[in-house]
Amino acid sequence: MGRIGPPHGLDGTVYVWPDTDDPTRFLPGARLQVEGREIRVERIRRNPERLFVKFHGISDRTSAERLRGRRLFIEERQRRPLGDGEYWPDQLEGLQVRTPRGESVGLVKQVVWAEVQNRLVIETKAGLREVPFVDELVPQVNPDEGYLTVVDVPGLL
């Protein structure tokens, strides 16, 4: 659902970079998971790029600092049904990356969701590469079969 950033102020409020298209996920009272434990939103303030979130039980800057860099999740049963061509990040991370000829060129290490364009971070022999997650460059996604296809554009991978 998002990634926790640094503390903001002294009362335990943190920056959160949301990774969700559902704005209700961070409303007061919302229950999220961080490192296998539940955490509940106490209050929220919005900013164009990120959220300022105060969680119940996180009452000072030191406690908030311990959350920095942690990812926020929801339980699988809370997920909305996906439409055609939609995927959860955990369905894509770890997939083998193949060219249209079937040649294996790497693994999906991370999915970066962004307002302008989502990207796949792919680990290749040459290092990490970011590929825009668009149909023209990623024409085939087969999570059940463990791979996706990336068009072999010179310099992309």
Side-chain angles (χ1 to χ4, degrees):
M1 299 313 307
R3 184 174 46 88
I4 300 174
H8 178 75
L10 301 175
D11 70 347
T13 298
V14 293
Y15 291 110
V16 171
W17 285 270
D19 287 336
T20 178
D21 59 355
D22 183 352
T24 66
R25 292 292 184 198
F26 290 98
L27 291 178
R31 297 175 186 278
L32 302 168
Q33 300 288 318
V34 62
E35 294 189 336
R37 71 178 176 109
E38 185 176 273
I39 193 166
R40 195 163 37 101
V41 176
E42 184 176 310
R43 69 176 184 267
I44 182 175
R45 189 165 47 95
R46 295 187 186 277
N47 168 301
E49 298 174 8
R50 58 191 169 207
L51 306 173
F52 300 97
V53 180
K54 173 77 171 80
F55 293 107
H56 283 279
I58 307 300
S59 58
D60 58 42
R61 188 174 182 89
T62 302
S63 299
E65 185 64 46
R66 288 188 203 114
L67 294 175
R68 183 194 289 236
R70 305 286 191 257
R71 305 236 0 144
L72 293 164
F73 298 92
I74 56 171
E75 292 181 1
E76 197 167 327
R77 65 180 170 75
Q78 295 175 289
R79 291 178 170 179
R80 68 172 173 77
L82 294 176
D84 288 339
E86 290 186 308
Y87 305 94
W88 297 113
D90 59 76
Q91 290 178 291
L92 301 173
E93 292 169 355
L95 290 183
Q96 183 183 78
V97 178
R98 297 180 183 171
T99 66
R101 295 180 309 280
E103 175 190 357
S104 178
V105 292
L107 291 173
V108 177
K109 296 304 281 184
Q110 181 183 6
V111 180
V112 178
W113 299 108
E115 280 187 41
V116 177
Q117 187 174 66
N118 300 325
R119 300 177 310 280
L120 301 175
V121 178
I122 299 172
E123 184 175 38
T124 70
K125 291 177 187 174
L128 295 178
R129 301 291 185 258
E130 288 195 18
V131 174
F133 190 35
V134 295
D135 292 340
E136 294 79 13
L137 295 174
V138 186
Q140 194 174 33
V141 179
N142 295 305
D144 294 336
E145 296 177 38
Y147 77 93
L148 57 79
T149 301
V150 173
V151 175
D152 196 8
V153 175
L156 186 62
L157 295 174

